[in-house]
Structures are given as C-alpha cells and as structure tokens.
Amino acid sequence: MVKSKITCKLFKLTNVKSLQNVQDIILKRRYADPLITGLTDKKKTEKMSEYEKNFFFTWGEKSKPNNIKLNNIDGIERSVDYLFVTAEIEFTKRTRKDSRGEFLPKKDRINYIQITNYFFCIGESVYLIICSSIEKHIERVKNLVGMENLTNVDDSYKIPSDLFNWMFFIYTQNKGKLDDSIKLMNIGGFIGNTGDEHNIFKGTSDQTSELIITKAFISNGETLKTITARLKNDDIDIIFSIDDYSNTHIFVKQSMKRKLFEAEDVTPFLIIYLYSYLIPKIKSLYNISAKQFLDKEKKQFSIKIGLEVIESIINHNYLSFDEVAALFIEQKGAKRSIRVK
C-alpha cells in the first residue's frame, strides 16, 4: 500500500564514496541499544542474556543497486546510483515489568518497526535519506549507520536564505516559469508545520500563494524557512514540502511520474528524482538569478505585495480613505482612531 505522505530526512555520509562502500561498510553493521534501568535494577540486568538486555538494530531487505540516467543541471546526461534498504528496529514498550516488579520476557516488552532508507551517489558524494517523521526512530537509524559515518548536509543541499522568497516571486511575477523545462504550478509559504496534509494543494485552482499571511510575512522583510510547492516538467508532477536543509515531505498520492522512467516504482522515483535533480536544479536557477533578485527585484516585489496586503485588509474591513490616512497623518492635538463596526 502506497503511503500518502513520506517524510525524508537528509544526511551526508563520510568515509564512503560509492554504493559499494555502503554495502561493504554500512550495511554490515548492527547496533545493540541497551535496556535502560535504574540502579536498583542493575543486578537484575546483569543476570540477563545479551539478547534479553539489548534492543537490536539491523539491516533487513535491500534492493539491488539501481541507476537512473538524468539530465544534470547543465543539460548533460548523468547517472545517479541508488539503493534502498529497511532498518529493522527493536525498541521498548512502556510496560516493562509485571505486577511483581520483575522484568517481562523480552518478547512481551518489545516494539518493532521497519524504516525505509535510501542511499544515493552523486559523483563521489553519498547521501542518506531516512524516511521517518519520528525523531527517536531517526536517531536509531543513525546509530545503526554509525554516527562517525554521518554528517549534516553540505552546501550542495543547504538552501540559500532568499531562495524560497525568490520562488514565490517567480510564481507570482513570472507565472511560475522557472525555466523552459520546469514550471512552478503552485507554492505556499508556511511558518509552522509544513507536513500538515491540510496544507497541500487540492488542485490547480487552489491559489495557496494568495494567502495574505504569506505576502505579509515576506513584505515585512522576513524570509520563508519552509515552503510547499507543486513542480511539473516532462518527467514528473510532484507536490512536496521542503525546509532550508532539504528535509522534505513528499505527498505521494498527489504526485506522479509522467512520460519517462516507466520501469521505476513511483515512490523511489519521486524521492531520488527530487533529491538528485530537482533540488540541485532549483538551486542552480536561483544562483543564476540571485544578484538581480537581491539587488533590484526583491525590494520592488516586497513593496508590491505589501500594497496588496494593505488593499486586501482595506477591502475586507470596508475601511474608508480617512481611516487609513489616520495611520499616516498626524493631526495636531488629535488622536488616531479606527472605527469598529
């Protein structure tokens, strides 16, 4: 059964430069997470077997190494190698003891979950995507991978501070045309939880970008830290949320492959295509436009949407010119006032 939404947390691997390294180094690891107890239970745990007093993280079923041929950001074809594998995680239930205060058998106090993970390789850089929204499970997978083998994302996937505002600008001022191949069909900026499925687009007529709060936020000089976007090109039509470290939520049921890559399963394709092509491509397009946007267009855009915010508030509240002018014109000896209807 296809999940409606997949949460992706991105990390870069150190000490590995290929999928073969991943298989030889990372996928041969296992991790034992000890049962945490108080001092009074220390003697009890000392008598337990290794199996009983540890929760084990291991690698389960894995795909064969796969390869997708994509145009890179310069239009030259390149190959992206990837594989996906489940992490099989044991962790404790809340109830660990019986009515006499003795530890239950492990089978009666254990929870079990499988978490899908993707490894993909661009050049000699290898990245890990952990598909979980639960921070404790993410930490468990990181322990299985080995903390010494992980680092935060590098500059390749850090989002420049004004990129999301620039995308909002392109959507409203250039009809969403990022370049000749990619169109931004819709965009919404959110300060809170971008993973909320109520925030996704229900269709092309849903003008989420017209939300007054987003325009007010940008026109007040703030920068968006997260967005939800619908992007479309010849290969894909995808709706996803993304933060400034390229962690994403992909709304699988609202997304689709288009005419290419028929052999690829939908979910792996959406994930790998987003990370190996779309995100680097958007960053490249922003870098080309950044100077003009920051030096000229950003200020003009802020003024324009700021006036639209003011106009919307005036219309919504039926304010008169005099009431609005009272905010700007000081009359000697008179207080500003706005009537309440």
Side-chain angles (χ1 to χ4, degrees), residues 28-63:
K28 290 183 178 179
R29 288 176 52 87
R30 71 198 299 263
Y31 183 83
D33 192 30
L35 174 66
I36 298 174
T37 62
L39 291 175
T40 55
D41 291 320
K42 186 175 181 180
K43 289 185 179 180
K44 294 179 182 179
T45 56
E46 287 175 350
K47 296 177 182 179
M48 290 182 177
S49 67
E50 290 298 308
Y51 170 78
E52 285 287 327
K53 66 182 179 182
N54 286 290
F55 299 97
F56 294 100
F57 308 162
T58 58
W59 296 111
E61 185 178 355
K62 70 175 181 179
S63 73

Side-chain angles (χ1 to χ4, degrees), residues 5-22:
K5 182 186 73 176
I6 294 176
T7 299
C8 300
K9 303 289 284 189
L10 180 67
F11 301 91
K12 186 177 182 182
L13 294 180
T14 59
N15 308 318
V16 296
K17 294 184 177 181
S18 68
L19 288 189
Q20 189 61 52
N21 289 159
V22 170

Side-chain angles (χ1 to χ4, degrees), residues 68-195:
I68 294 182
K69 296 188 183 304
L70 301 169
N71 287 335
N72 70 9
I73 58 177
D74 298 317
I76 302 171
E77 187 176 82
R78 69 168 176 180
S79 296
V80 178
D81 297 321
Y82 73 94
L83 63 80
F84 52 94
V85 57
T86 57
E88 300 186 348
I89 305 297
E90 298 177 347
F91 61 102
T92 185
K93 291 181 177 178
R94 287 188 177 181
T95 301
R96 304 188 303 172
K97 295 181 178 180
D98 61 22
S99 58
R100 298 171 299 162
E102 299 296 325
F103 282 104
L104 294 166
K106 183 176 176 179
K107 65 182 179 63
D108 296 326
R109 54 180 168 83
I110 190 174
N111 281 318
Y112 177 80
I113 190 171
Q114 292 182 318
I115 299 169
T116 303
N117 307 275
Y118 290 80
F119 296 91
F120 70 97
C121 182
I122 298 178
E124 292 189 344
S125 295
V126 182
Y127 298 90
L128 165 66
I129 299 168
I130 302 175
C131 296
S132 177
S133 60
I134 300 174
E135 197 61 37
K136 286 185 177 180
H137 291 339
I138 293 169
E139 289 301 308
R140 288 167 176 139
V141 175
K142 288 168 66 177
N143 280 321
L144 176 57
V145 172
M147 293 294 186
E148 70 277 12
N149 297 317
L150 288 171
T151 186
N152 291 327
V153 295
D154 56 10
D155 289 341
S156 298
Y157 284 96
K158 286 181 182 176
I159 303 299
S161 60
D162 281 287
L163 186 146
F164 294 151
N165 287 25
W166 170 78
M167 289 180 68
F168 196 87
F169 166 78
I170 291 295
Y171 178 74
T172 58
Q173 305 303 302
N174 199 33
K175 298 182 179 179
K177 185 178 180 182
L178 292 170
D179 74 350
D180 291 337
S181 64
I182 303 177
K183 186 169 184 181
L184 181 59
M185 305 298 292
N186 218 327
I187 185 171
F190 299 97
I191 306 167
N193 178 17
T194 61

